[in-house]
Amino acid sequence: MNKDILEKFQKPSKTYYIKKAINKLSKQSFIPKLSLITFILLTLSLLTYFIINKIFNINSQSNTYAFYAAIVLIISLYLFLTVFLYDIRVNKNKNLIYIILITLLVAMISSLLMQFLQFGLDINATLTWLREKYRVFLINALVIFSILMTLISLISLYWGIVIGFIFFMIISVVNLVKIKILGQPLYAADFYQIKNLNSLADYVGISMFSIIFISFLVVSVIFYISLKFKKYKLRNMYKLITALFFIGIIGNSMSSADINAKNLYTFVGANYCSWDQTNNYYENGLIYSILSNLGIKTIDKPDNYSKEEISKIVEKYEEKAKIYNSKIIDDNKKPNIIYIMSESFWDPTTFNFLKFSEDPMKNIRNFTSDNYILGNHFSSAIGTSTANIEYEALTGFSMYNLKSGSVPYQQSINKFFPSIVNLLKGDGYKTYAVHPFNKSFYKRTYVYDNFGIDEFISHEKMKNVSFLSDVANISDESMMKEIESILEENDEPVFIHGVTMQNHMDYHKGKSGKESVDISWDGLSDSLKELIESYTEGIKQSDIVMKKFIDYVDKLKEPTMIVFFGDHEPYFVKNDSFMQSDLFKNMDPLEKESFLSKTPLFYYANFEIKDKEIDTLGSNYISLTTYELLNKKIPPFYAMLQDLEDEFKGLKKEVILDSNSNVLKEDLTSEQKTLLDEYKLIQYDITEGKRYSLKSLFYVRD
């Protein structure tokens, strides 16, 4: 009995007629096959278009990046469903179901734990967020799922989950610590510092042993979940699918950097908030926030950016610089110029509710000379972001124009970048940078090279190394001796940019030697008293070292200028106890931000310099002021900074200081808006644009 006769007497299966239809189609000519394939592809294309445009509300005109990322995402889902159903139905691969369920469970647990840590272990806040933002929670879990599936397809279920889970927990703990200590979340740019993990851990008082121990505990928790399925692996097809899915989900996340973006995340209720990154992390979760910042440029393109607009600005300030320079009598004097950016250097006696047994800053405060100018530095950050203040001081550009969370040293300075360094180098100076820490931190080696630094002396190359205690950072005295060596070794004029480390957090008893300044106040707890007395001892020692260095410079035959400023206040100034003091509890928020953004600054020279009264000076004006005091001719860009300083003594996203160093509370005038718009246009042109202004605006014209 042949096969056709048997089929007549057997009851057909559920898929019999489908198989028969496909079998008949497969025996037809090429044209019907092509028609069937075309019909299927057309149907899928229309379905894809409907999902992207009508459900997600994404179109290629409003957000090209997200549009194509969504296409990749949906194609990967089509492939996944096809291969998954084939494996289940045809290959009878039941293990695949276990793998997906386990991975999905771990992804959801990871997403929830990450948010729990984001909220500082506050279970109520976490559950409230989960109830209100459950769709965002699920999308974050989906991203984690895609990453875990990628790892599983590359290695195995067990090791994929172990490695993935450890990674997610570590970044969550680092994020928590960074928020607790610095008040800022973990940014995508921070991953540039991964090779400095040990140093970063030291910053926040966590040892590498602790990180390893926590990781071991995490592995132990999930060990049992995946050990049973250790042998299971995904076949190669899933590697392609998970890779496509991951690209699609990443693309959708990165497109969020556009405030008007429509993508998968906006569809589920996430709102990207570039101007308030802390809120962005709390509302949208750690995973989404990190990914969304991957696509962020440090500065948005102004609507009116064009070669013609830049040319107008260049012409305007070329004329202003020409007028200013015509009044300068050039005596060809090229003094040594030494920048000392002192880590966390702040005057603690400004907290007038604290009682000090002695003035820890008496030398800097009481030094008198016709060529000594003491004032306040207005920092763009509190307790963190040293590299950003350094960027402002050397380039003249401002963090005010950049997006929150930006770290230009790590994101923008990837080629030659105009600064006072290359300006002086073009004037015959030999240029140095001295920083008693890891040379790769904040990509300084690379950045300094793009600024034009001839030699960077990090702690690896320092000849003079000493410490105030066994647990201290390299002392200020060590760095000043290094600078003295450079001065003695050179006959030509030098520019030296020094960044200290002595007073970097954390602060505890004995770190800066035996505490000699007693501090009292009714609101001081024992731990807070220990912290601020330890910090204050470091300030006292820095003050002593600067007095010695001024005495050293006084004895030099070569004309030499010192430019000293604290980069930012220490992180603890916003401690709750301090904020409840009489000084702060009724202070206007803008006034408080201004007050907490000021650190000591002074200019000193062993020769006659121009006089300039400095109340408060923003970081971006430091190099301009150096040129003014030295009576040097300025490039057109510095003429722009002069106009800016006439209107704004300090620029910060949170607060602006007016021409009298007071908090600006009125609306900007049209002239002020134009000035700030011009400033941003030039900063964009050099940072992300075509650099139309580079050859004209940043060099001194004879």
Side-chain angles (χ1 to χ4, degrees):
M1 192 177 293
N2 60 35
K3 187 176 180 181
D4 292 335
I5 296 173
L6 278 172
E7 285 183 351
K8 291 180 181 180
F9 293 99
Q10 289 178 343
K11 184 179 179 180
S13 65
K14 293 179 181 179
T15 59
Y16 170 76
Y17 295 107
I18 297 174
K19 289 180 180 178
K20 191 171 183 179
I22 294 173
N23 188 46
K24 283 184 178 182
L25 284 171
S26 66
K27 292 179 180 179
Q28 303 301 316
S29 63
F30 174 73
I31 293 176
K33 283 183 179 179
L34 184 61
S35 299
L36 177 64
I37 293 170
T38 303
F39 173 76
I40 293 171
L41 290 176
L42 183 60
T43 303
L44 291 176
S45 298
L46 289 172
L47 180 60
T48 301
Y49 179 83
F50 177 79
I51 292 171
I52 295 174
N53 278 270
K54 303 302 181 183
I55 299 180
F56 292 164
N57 195 26
I58 306 171
N59 60 70
S60 58
Q61 285 74 38
S62 66
N63 196 337
T64 305
Y65 198 30
F67 180 77
Y68 290 111
I71 290 176
V72 171
L73 184 63
I74 292 171
I75 288 174
S76 69
L77 288 173
Y78 289 157
L79 287 172
F80 178 79
L81 287 172
T82 302
V83 177
F84 176 75
L85 292 173
Y86 179 83
D87 269 352
I88 297 298
R89 184 69 184 174
V90 179
N91 292 339
K92 310 293 183 184
N93 187 0
K94 299 292 180 63
N95 292 335
L96 184 60
I97 298 176
Y98 296 137
I99 290 174
I100 290 172
L101 288 176
I102 290 170
T103 308
L104 193 57
L105 177 63
V106 172
M108 294 179 75
I109 292 172
S110 299
S111 181
L112 189 60
L113 283 175
M114 292 176 86
Q115 199 62 24
F116 179 55
L117 289 167
Q118 174 72 41
F119 281 111
L121 309 181
D122 186 336
I123 187 64
N124 292 326
T126 305
L127 293 176
T128 300
W129 177 84
L130 183 62
R131 185 174 61 255
E132 295 175 354
K133 295 276 189 176
Y134 66 92
R135 293 192 300 172
V136 176
F137 159 74
L138 291 173
I139 291 295
N140 279 325
L142 192 60
V143 175
I144 296 172
F145 174 77
S146 70
I147 296 171
L148 291 175
M149 287 293 286
T150 302
L151 290 171
I152 290 167
S153 66
L154 292 172
I155 37 183
S156 68
L157 175 67
Y158 173 73
W159 286 113
I161 286 179
V162 167
I163 293 171
F165 196 87
I166 289 174
F167 172 73
F168 293 129
M169 289 304 102
I170 286 178
I171 64 172
S172 298
V173 171
V174 172
N175 178 61
L176 172 64
V177 170
K178 193 176 178 210
I179 290 173
K180 288 283 188 184
I181 300 297
L182 302 179
Q184 292 189 351
L186 181 69
Y187 296 124
D190 292 328
F191 284 90
Y192 285 104
Q193 304 293 355
I194 195 69
K195 59 187 174 183
N196 299 313
L197 183 60
N198 193 40
S199 300
L200 285 167
D202 291 342
Y203 272 11
V204 295
I206 298 176
S207 66
M208 283 302 294
F209 173 79
S210 299
I211 294 175
I212 294 169
F213 181 70
I214 292 170
S215 301
F216 174 77
L217 290 179
V218 170
V219 174
S220 299
V221 170
I222 63 168
F223 184 83
Y224 180 76
I225 298 175
S226 54
L227 185 59
K228 185 176 179 181
F229 305 98
K230 183 176 180 179
K231 62 181 179 180
Y232 296 154
K233 293 184 179 180
L234 293 172
R235 58 198 189 90
N236 289 335
M237 188 62 184
Y238 287 102
K239 296 179 183 179
L240 171 64
I241 295 170
T242 53
L244 285 174
F245 184 86
F246 188 56
I247 290 169
I249 206 83
I250 292 289
N252 266 273
S253 303
M254 290 171 66
S255 68
S256 297
D258 177 1
I259 192 170
N260 298 311
K262 297 291 186 182
N263 56 38
L264 181 59
Y265 271 97
T266 57
F267 171 69
V268 299
N271 294 305
Y272 179 73
C273 189
S274 65
W275 58 91
D276 188 354
Q277 286 288 347
T278 302
N279 184 63
N280 188 42
Y281 277 66
Y282 282 131
E283 290 293 314
N284 302 317
L286 179 59
I287 285 292
Y288 164 74
S289 299
I290 289 176
L291 293 180
S292 61
N293 282 322
L294 283 174
I296 195 172
K297 289 186 176 181
T298 56
I299 185 170
D300 285 322
K301 181 180 179 179
D303 293 335
N304 60 335
Y305 177 71
S306 67
K307 186 175 183 179
E308 293 72 24
E309 195 65 32
I310 295 299
S311 296
K312 290 178 186 177
I313 297 171
V314 168
E315 289 175 12
K316 174 182 176 180
Y317 289 104
E318 279 184 330
E319 183 61 28
K320 284 179 176 284
K322 184 178 179 181
I323 293 171
Y324 179 86
N325 290 339
S326 66
K327 302 172 184 177
I328 300 295
I329 300 174
D330 192 354
D331 60 3
N332 291 318
K333 183 181 289 184
K334 295 180 180 179
N336 299 316
I337 301 172
I338 303 163
Y339 277 19
I340 306 296
M341 190 172 81
S342 188
E343 173 61 46
S344 299
F345 190 93
W346 161 67
D347 180 4
T349 66
T350 57
F351 279 18
N352 57 18
F353 51 89
L354 297 175
K355 304 300 179 185
F356 294 80
S357 61
E358 65 175 278
D359 184 356
M361 212 182 80
K362 60 185 178 185
N363 292 303
I364 290 176
R365 195 188 319 280
N366 298 319
F367 187 79
T368 56
S369 168
D370 291 339
N371 302 311
Y372 181 76
I373 302 171
L374 178 65
N376 293 302
H377 163 235
F378 186 74
S379 178
S380 60
I382 298 173
T384 184
S385 302
T386 295
N388 289 351
I389 291 106
E390 188 177 346
Y391 159 81
E392 292 179 309
L394 294 177
T395 67
F397 288 128
S398 175
M399 294 302 297
Y400 176 80
N401 290 325
L402 303 186
K403 293 184 179 181
S404 296
S406 297
V407 184
Y409 268 29
Q410 295 177 168
Q411 295 169 279
S412 306
I413 305 177
N414 46 25
K415 53 188 171 184
F416 171 83
F417 206 91
S419 69
I420 189 174
V421 181
N422 43 62
L423 200 57
L424 289 170
K425 191 171 181 178
D427 198 24
Y429 278 72
K430 190 167 183 181
T431 56
Y432 293 84
V434 182
H435 180 47
F437 198 63
N438 192 319
K439 63 182 179 182
S440 64
F441 219 61
Y442 284 120
K443 294 173 65 178
R444 277 194 173 94
T445 300
Y446 188 58
V447 170
Y448 286 163
D449 186 55
N450 287 323
F451 280 164
I453 293 289
D454 292 318
E455 185 177 354
F456 174 27
I457 301 171
S458 61
H459 76 85
E460 294 93 340
K461 295 174 67 176
M462 288 181 67
K463 302 170 188 174
N464 306 282
V465 177
S466 64
F467 304 87
L468 295 179
S469 73
D470 293 339
V471 292
N473 298 307
I474 294 177
S475 68
D476 285 3
E477 185 175 25
S478 297
M479 196 184 85
M480 304 322 294
K481 285 183 178 179
E482 207 70 37
I483 290 173
E484 290 171 11
S485 296
I486 294 171
L487 291 170
E488 291 163 7
E489 291 168 3
N490 284 275
D491 295 325
E492 68 261 61
V494 296
F495 170 78
I496 305 171
H497 173 59
V499 183
T500 74
M501 276 298 295
Q502 174 180 296
N503 296 316
H504 200 291
M505 58 183 280
D506 56 341
Y507 312 108
H508 48 79
K509 191 171 183 178
K511 179 184 177 182
S512 297
K514 182 175 175 57
E515 288 76 18
S516 58
V517 182
D518 181 70
I519 303 173
S520 59
W521 174 51
D522 291 342
L524 275 183
S525 64
D526 290 343
S527 58
L528 190 56
K529 178 179 171 67
E530 178 182 317
L531 181 150
I532 195 167
E533 286 185 349
S534 170
Y535 169 81
T536 301
E537 184 62 31
I539 295 302
K540 178 182 175 180
Q541 296 303 322
S542 295
D543 179 72
I544 292 169
V545 168
M546 285 315 303
K547 174 63 169 62
K548 289 180 180 178
F549 187 64
I550 289 173
D551 291 343
Y552 169 83
V553 167
D554 267 343
K555 296 174 184 176
L556 291 176
K557 295 180 181 178
E558 298 82 10
T560 302
M561 171 183 269
I562 303 170
V563 182
F564 175 95
F565 58 101
D567 59 350
H568 54 70
E569 295 198 353
Y571 72 92
F572 60 77
V573 294
K574 285 191 172 182
N575 182 279
D576 289 341
S577 295
F578 293 152
M579 293 301 102
Q580 294 303 313
S581 68
D582 291 338
L583 176 63
F584 291 113
K585 64 182 179 182
N586 295 317
M587 188 181 285
D588 176 84
L590 292 178
E591 297 287 352
K592 184 187 298 182
E593 186 70 27
S594 172
F595 186 90
L596 294 175
S597 299
K598 294 177 182 178
T599 64
L601 168 146
F602 73 77
Y603 287 82
Y604 172 72
N606 62 359
F607 61 98
E608 185 177 353
I609 57 175
K610 286 183 69 175
D611 187 32
K612 179 177 180 178
E613 185 176 340
I614 298 176
D615 182 325
T616 304
L617 192 69
S619 313
N620 55 320
Y621 304 130
I622 285 175
S623 291
L624 162 66
T625 303
T626 299
Y627 262 60
E628 289 176 334
L629 295 177
L630 293 176
N631 205 32
K632 293 175 71 68
K633 292 181 178 180
I634 62 172
F637 177 61
Y638 280 16
M640 172 183 274
L641 292 178
Q642 285 179 326
D643 280 4
L644 278 164
E645 191 190 359
D646 286 343
E647 294 290 337
F648 313 108
K649 293 300 181 184
L651 290 170
K652 187 175 181 178
K653 285 189 180 295
E654 295 83 357
V655 62
I656 296 176
L657 301 187
D658 64 17
S659 57
N660 296 314
S661 299
N662 297 318
V663 172
L664 182 64
K665 296 181 180 178
E666 297 80 22
D667 293 337
L668 296 174
T669 66
S670 58
E671 292 80 8
Q672 289 174 328
K673 288 179 181 178
T674 298
L675 193 55
L676 288 174
D677 287 344
E678 289 176 342
Y679 189 32
K680 186 172 183 178
L681 274 165
I682 296 302
Q683 191 162 351
Y684 174 81
D685 182 52
I686 296 300
T687 306
E688 299 283 355
K690 301 292 185 179
R691 295 193 156 195
Y692 300 125
S693 63
L694 180 61
K695 293 182 179 179
S696 303
L697 210 57
F698 295 89
Y699 296 92
V700 177
R701 303 295 180 190
D702 294 327

